[in-house]
Amino acid sequence: MGCGTGRVTSHLRDAGADVFGVDPSPGMIAVARDTHPGLRFEVGSMTGLDLPDASLGGVLSWYSTVHMPEDELASSFAEFHRVLAPGGYALVAFEVGDERVRLERAYGHEVALDVYRWSPDRLAALLGTAGLVESARLVREPDAGEKTPQAFLLARRPHV
């Protein structure tokens, strides 16, 4: 969810997963479709997915929540719970912190973009409120070019 140009979606397909990508940006979806023909990409929002209840075995949100304030995160995680089958997993990657950073230049372009950094405990609590149970957590120090630690939370929709 929030697949951008489809790089990670393509990687997962190449690893054998049955995948598709969703992103709110028609421009990103156009690039994804051009770059990765044969893969399914759709314009859509993580807060209102056009998918049946309990229809997915997994959801990947690879840094796609970094532009969402807390109320949108809560809505997205509730939507993840809705579309995940019982026993399905959600993996969320994000920047660690407790602030909103306003970017005016990024990726070689002028932008007006907010980036939200979260504590792993806060994001785990939001996942829990949505009914997803934390299964694993990894926090690593920043690599070259990164300004903050990075976190990865794996949460599961419990079996009924």
Side-chain angles (χ1 to χ4, degrees):
M1 301 300 155
C3 66
T5 61
R7 179 182 58 86
V8 175
T9 309
S10 176
H11 174 77
L12 291 171
R13 186 236 6 237
D14 293 347
D18 180 15
V19 296
F20 64 94
V22 176
D23 197 275
S25 168
M28 288 288 195
I29 292 298
V31 170
R33 288 175 178 160
D34 287 345
T35 307
H36 307 286
L39 268 173
R40 178 177 144 207
F41 294 100
E42 299 176 5
V43 175
S45 170
M46 289 189 290
T47 61
L49 296 165
D50 187 19
L51 295 166
D53 294 353
S55 60
L56 300 179
V59 170
L60 176 64
S61 175
W62 199 252
Y63 293 95
S64 52
T65 59
V66 298
H67 304 297
M68 303 176 108
E70 188 166 329
D71 60 330
E72 287 181 32
L73 275 177
S75 295
S76 292
F77 293 163
E79 193 67 351
F80 292 0
H81 180 273
R82 183 187 69 77
V83 300
L84 281 170
Y89 286 95
L91 176 59
V92 181
F94 57 98
E95 296 181 5
V96 175
D98 63 358
E99 70 238 350
R100 180 187 74 175
V101 176
R102 181 70 168 185
L103 298 180
E104 295 180 0
R105 183 153 186 85
Y107 315 111
H109 304 280
E110 288 187 23
V111 296
L113 193 60
D114 289 327
V115 174
Y116 294 86
R117 296 177 177 150
W118 300 100
S119 78
D121 288 341
R122 183 67 193 131
L123 235 60
L126 289 170
L127 287 163
T129 298
L132 299 168
V133 178
E134 182 180 348
S135 298
R137 175 188 303 207
L138 172 69
V139 178
R140 69 164 174 76
E141 292 303 312
D143 283 340
E146 296 173 337
K147 296 179 181 173
T148 67
Q150 308 295 298
F152 311 88
L153 292 178
L154 182 65
R156 187 174 196 190
R157 179 177 173 177
H159 291 281
V160 179

